[in-house]
Amino acid sequence: MQLENGRYKARAAQGALGFTSNGKEQVAIEFTLLGNDGSEQYVGQSITWFGFFTDASLEHTIKALRACGWQGNDVSDLTGIESNDVSLVIENEEYEGKWSPKVRWVNPLGSGLALKQQMEPTQARSFATQMRGRILALEQGTGPRRAPSPAPARGAPPQQRGGNRHASYDGPPEPPPLTDEDMPF
């Protein structure tokens, strides 16, 4: 099965406990894909996620099971994992010379980017086309730039920024142009 890297809406179909090749405990959850970015081509395909119970991975495994709908604290009873739709983050990886999709993360739906309204892929491509020329012009130095701030008067104390530690720093002000009085003779 070949999938594109990305986020997929899915629902757990079944799960079981088992062991890794090294004898470590793991949980396997088989998911049925419900779609990807409005595409129906992946609907109905299955993919398995593996969670582990090591100190480093326990929290992620439990969060993933909870996202699926599992309740309680008895991992030998995975009742409820089929309750919720989730968002799978799938990335293709190479293993023994072959590429295959792997579930990297299991998240509750709506836990992705905090955008009020995400662009559809066609909208994103159209916007990118609009921005391409502006970005090239900016990088070539021909695009719009922010007007420089006026230089402080000679001998004036440095300006305070009102204590806003998040204000951007534009660097030291440029010195005023030299006059005849500044020229050493």
Side-chain angles (χ1 to χ4, degrees), residues 159-175:
Q159 294 181 350
Q160 297 295 321
R161 293 211 177 254
N164 183 353
R165 61 183 199 182
H166 297 292
S168 64
Y169 176 67
D170 296 323
E174 292 202 22

Side-chain angles (χ1 to χ4, degrees), residues 20 22-23 29 31 34 45 51 62 80 85 87 101 103 136 139 151-152 155:
T20 67
N22 295 331
I29 305 291
F31 287 96
L34 304 175
Q45 292 188 30
I62 299 305
D85 291 348
S87 174
V103 177
L136 290 172
E139 289 176 346

Side-chain angles (χ1 to χ4, degrees), residues 14 22 31 38 48 51 60 62 69 76 78 84 90 101 120 126 134 159 176 183:
Q14 61 180 331
N22 295 331
F31 287 96
T48 302
H60 295 292
I62 299 305
S76 69
L78 296 174
N84 299 334
I90 296 178
E120 296 294 326
S126 175
R134 293 180 67 189
Q159 294 181 350
M183 300 301 270

Side-chain angles (χ1 to χ4, degrees), residues 38-106:
S39 172
E40 301 298 318
Q41 82 184 75
Y42 303 107
V43 173
Q45 292 188 30
S46 296
I47 190 167
T48 302
W49 166 78
F50 297 94
F52 305 95
F53 298 97
T54 64
D55 289 342
S57 61
L58 177 64
E59 183 177 353
H60 295 292
T61 298
I62 299 305
K63 283 182 178 181
L65 293 172
R66 296 282 188 226
C68 293
W70 178 70
Q71 297 179 5
N73 56 16
D74 180 358
V75 292
S76 69
D77 179 6
L78 296 174
T79 300
I81 62 165
E82 309 92 355
S83 301
N84 299 334
D85 291 348
V86 295
S87 174
L88 303 180
V89 176
I90 296 178
E91 295 176 359
N92 286 287
E93 68 176 29
E94 187 176 9
Y95 180 71
E96 296 181 351
K98 295 182 182 179
W99 286 90
S100 62
K102 179 178 180 182
V103 177
R104 302 293 290 167
W105 303 101
V106 178

